[in-house]
Amino acid sequence: RSGVQRGVWCLFQMGSDENIKPDEFYSKETGDLPLNLDLSRDYSLVNPNGARQRGWTPEAGPDRAKVKDYVRQSLTDRQVASVMEIRETVASKYGDIPHKIINEAVSDLVKGEKAMAFKGKVGQDNKPDQLLSGTKAAFFTPESDDIIITPAKASEKGWIDQPSKTFSLNGRAGARVIMPLLRRISPLYNLHHLPQALHRCLGAGYLDRIWRLRRCPADSYCRGRGAGKIRSAQAQSGG
């Protein structure tokens, strides 16, 4: 008791194993220990500097990780809400939390691609001019009237453009990409079928102009002068 009163150490009890802040915390700043406090229970000591580093002291404010969870849950429940509405929901469930800390949690979710932000209205269906998330939200600072939406809800509204997962090769540019690869892949495939595969990839019309199938050794390519005279190799079979 004397050590806590003099600020030599702080007394705490974590409670649940899932807690990241103590259920009970006593320090010089919190005042004298309750007279009925049973010190034979599972209490531990930490020095004041260690308590401050852990964010346990009163001046440290609410645990930011928990506030972030509160904000995430509030947004998950509503799918889309203004920053003001998120503040009110969190305050009604978990008590008064400074706006700055809630704003930081909102900002972290948007920058971490767990949420998206835009200027507009909660119930709008038209895609906003700017939908901020991830790297696009590097300088995002939440304001009371900003609208926050879950990525799932934004996708449901058709606001998220899915990146293309396909590519195409055709014409002269496609030939420049394919040609250096032929020597590498030719041992893996039957060269009898290679021209047909290239026809499908680059377009039969273009290949008809630049390729001529000739009987050549399987391990070599016969080249003419100019792209129009390139000749494909055909694997020898049966002598």
Side-chain angles (χ1 to χ4, degrees):
R1 290 178 181 270
S2 175
V4 173
Q5 291 171 346
R6 292 185 289 112
V8 177
W9 54 65
C10 304
L11 182 72
F12 70 95
Q13 185 182 70
M14 291 304 296
S16 170
D17 291 338
E18 298 178 356
N19 287 350
I20 56 178
K21 291 187 73 172
D23 274 347
E24 297 181 50
F25 180 82
Y26 305 99
S27 66
K28 181 180 180 180
E29 291 74 22
T30 63
D32 295 340
L33 297 180
L35 294 176
N36 62 349
L37 187 66
D38 184 3
L39 296 177
S40 64
R41 292 166 54 201
D42 188 21
Y43 286 96
S44 303
L45 297 174
V46 63
N47 64 54
N49 186 51
R52 282 190 292 272
Q53 290 176 344
R54 291 168 173 80
W56 293 354
T57 57
E59 63 269 22
D63 183 86
R64 282 164 170 74
K66 280 193 173 182
V67 173
K68 188 174 179 179
D69 288 339
Y70 300 157
V71 171
R72 181 189 290 114
Q73 186 59 52
S74 174
L75 182 61
T76 299
D77 292 342
R78 302 182 63 127
Q79 296 295 299
V80 55
S82 69
V83 173
M84 177 64 75
E85 290 171 334
I86 291 174
R87 289 177 189 160
E88 293 173 349
T89 301
V90 171
S92 67
K93 289 185 177 181
Y94 307 104
D96 189 28
I97 298 176
H99 289 177
K100 179 182 178 182
I101 295 178
I102 293 180
N103 285 353
E104 289 175 355
V106 171
S107 179
D108 287 347
L109 291 175
V110 172
K111 292 176 182 177
E113 299 184 342
K114 304 298 183 183
M116 310 182 87
F118 66 93
K119 296 286 188 182
K121 297 180 180 180
V122 170
Q124 77 177 59
D125 292 321
N126 294 332
K127 184 176 180 179
D129 293 335
Q130 277 192 315
L131 195 59
L132 301 179
S133 184
T135 56
K136 293 182 179 179
F139 302 104
F140 172 63
T141 301
E143 298 180 356
S144 297
D145 60 348
D146 285 339
I147 309 301
I148 311 301
I149 187 171
T150 63
K153 189 65 176 179
S155 180
E156 180 183 316
K157 287 177 174 287
W159 292 358
I160 299 178
D161 297 325
Q162 295 295 333
S164 174
K165 296 182 179 180
T166 63
F167 69 94
S168 61
L169 294 173
N170 52 68
R172 197 175 294 272
R176 284 197 296 267
V177 174
I178 291 294
M179 285 297 295
L181 301 176
L182 292 182
R183 289 187 183 277
R184 299 180 185 179
I185 68 173
S186 59
L188 304 178
Y189 296 93
N190 186 334
L191 288 181
H192 284 291
H193 302 296
L194 194 56
Q196 293 91 325
L198 291 175
H199 270 256
R200 290 194 298 270
C201 182
L202 298 181
Y206 182 73
L207 284 172
D208 284 342
R209 292 194 300 270
I210 67 170
W211 293 85
R212 291 182 181 177
L213 186 62
R214 296 292 176 85
R215 300 190 64 84
C216 299
D219 60 349
S220 68
Y221 288 90
C222 299
R223 299 177 177 274
R225 299 176 61 184
K229 295 185 179 180
I230 298 176
R231 295 175 294 183
S232 296
Q234 180 182 29
Q236 285 184 325
S237 59

